Amino acid sequence: MKVTGKAQLIRYTADPEQTIALAAKLCYSGDGIDALIEKIGEKDNAKFIRILTQMNHYSPFEHASFTFAIEGVSRALLAQITRHRIASFSVRSQRYVNEGAFDYIVPPAIEALGDEAVREYERQMEQMLAWYREWQQKLGGQGESANEDARFVLPNACETKMIVTMNARELMHFFALRCCNRAQWEIRNVAWQMLQEVMRVAPAVFGECGPGCLRGACPEGKKCCGKQAQIKERHDRLTENGK
């Protein structure tokens, strides 16, 4: 069955903006911790957080973490997102979980070719599912030992689920790369969803986040998509919705 990617923020550091401000203030203040906590709690920290980003003082952002549940995505996306190594991942296992009726992702480029192309793609998914089941039986059934080798015939399109945790600093880096139009469509879709989720709970931290072209010249150089205006419009809508 065809599925669509979804990213949902399920846990995060309590008062992430205050946590970041506290960590940064500690670097510059002679006050004790209790006094700093009281001062931080009495004011809006948005302006101070913007100053930190202008100073490129990003280490305090590492004290706020955000955990997402991601589902309806392909194993191809898994290979991409795990390249972001300053993160924690828990992924549904194809060894312990039977994939005898796996869901799958249909690339938009294949959908754009029309119904017959989609039907051909679906037939191919069904064939791979049949091969998987055949190997399960040959390898002794549907247990762990059979699954771990039968899974080798499963496609990258096979749907997976994961829990992902990143700190705010790594998320900023992640959004700069993966919200860009040059990023692959599936991880780009997930990245924009994740950005929308964190803007809702920490707008001062993530309000300026997104692809690099939001903050100046496109970092892609000659490979620039040329759609900075549309990207800024999308980002502005996201920011407005997050308020």
Side-chain angles (χ1 to χ4, degrees):
M1 181 178 69
K2 173 191 171 184
V3 290
T4 303
K6 178 183 177 182
Q8 178 184 2
L9 181 66
I10 57 172
R11 298 285 188 278
Y12 56 92
T13 299
D15 299 319
E17 294 177 356
Q18 287 192 19
T19 300
I20 293 168
L22 174 63
K25 288 285 188 181
L26 181 66
C27 299
Y28 305 109
S29 174
D31 290 339
I33 297 293
D34 289 342
L36 283 174
I37 291 174
E38 183 176 352
K39 288 180 180 179
I40 291 297
E42 292 174 348
K43 61 179 66 175
D44 180 1
N45 297 294
K47 181 178 179 181
F48 181 56
I49 288 174
R50 284 195 293 270
I51 292 172
L52 291 176
T53 59
Q54 291 167 2
M55 294 170 59
N56 293 322
H57 187 185
Y58 288 115
S59 61
F61 290 77
E62 296 173 16
H63 295 287
S65 65
F66 301 80
T67 299
F68 303 85
I70 301 176
E71 59 185 338
V73 295
S74 70
R75 299 287 293 195
L77 178 138
L78 175 62
Q80 296 180 78
I81 198 168
T82 51
R83 293 172 187 162
H84 294 269
R85 293 183 293 277
I86 307 176
S88 299
F89 301 92
S90 296
V91 184
R92 187 179 68 183
S93 171
Q94 288 185 330
R95 183 183 187 189
Y96 294 102
V97 177
N98 177 25
E99 295 283 14
F102 68 82
D103 294 328
Y104 53 85
I105 286 70
V106 180
I110 290 178
E111 289 185 310
L113 295 175
D115 293 342
E116 181 52 41
V118 172
R119 284 192 290 269
E120 179 183 355
Y121 183 85
E122 290 172 344
R123 288 193 294 268
Q124 292 170 347
M125 295 297 109
E126 291 169 1
Q127 179 61 71
M128 281 181 270
L129 175 58
W131 289 334
Y132 173 77
R133 289 172 174 169
E134 287 175 12
W135 280 115
Q136 278 185 315
Q137 294 306 311
K138 291 177 180 179
L139 293 167
Q142 297 181 1
E144 172 189 340
S145 60
N147 293 345
E148 70 177 357
D149 289 334
R151 63 182 168 173
F152 276 71
V153 299
L154 292 173
N156 265 342
C158 189
E159 188 261 356
T160 193
K161 298 175 175 64
M162 68 190 80
I163 301 293
V164 178
T165 300
M166 297 185 189
N167 66 49
R169 184 178 189 176
E170 176 60 16
L171 275 172
M172 297 164 85
H173 172 68
F174 176 79
F175 295 141
L177 295 179
R178 301 301 187 173
C179 288
C180 174
N181 275 356
R182 288 271 299 155
Q184 186 260 355
W185 63 269
E186 189 180 18
I187 198 168
R188 185 173 69 244
N189 175 52
V190 166
W192 278 101
Q193 289 185 52
M194 292 167 64
L195 178 55
Q196 183 174 22
E197 290 281 284
V198 294
M199 272 190 180
R200 179 172 49 83
V201 299
V205 176
F206 297 105
E208 301 299 321
C209 288
C213 61
L214 291 174
R215 295 170 294 281
C218 174
E220 294 294 321
K222 292 181 179 180
K223 295 181 179 180
C224 176
C225 71
K227 298 180 180 179
Q228 290 96 322
Q230 294 95 314
I231 293 171
K232 186 178 186 307
E233 182 180 346
R234 179 179 185 179
H235 182 271
D236 290 345
R237 289 198 304 269
L238 207 65
T239 304
E240 187 62 32
N241 291 336
K243 291 180 179 178

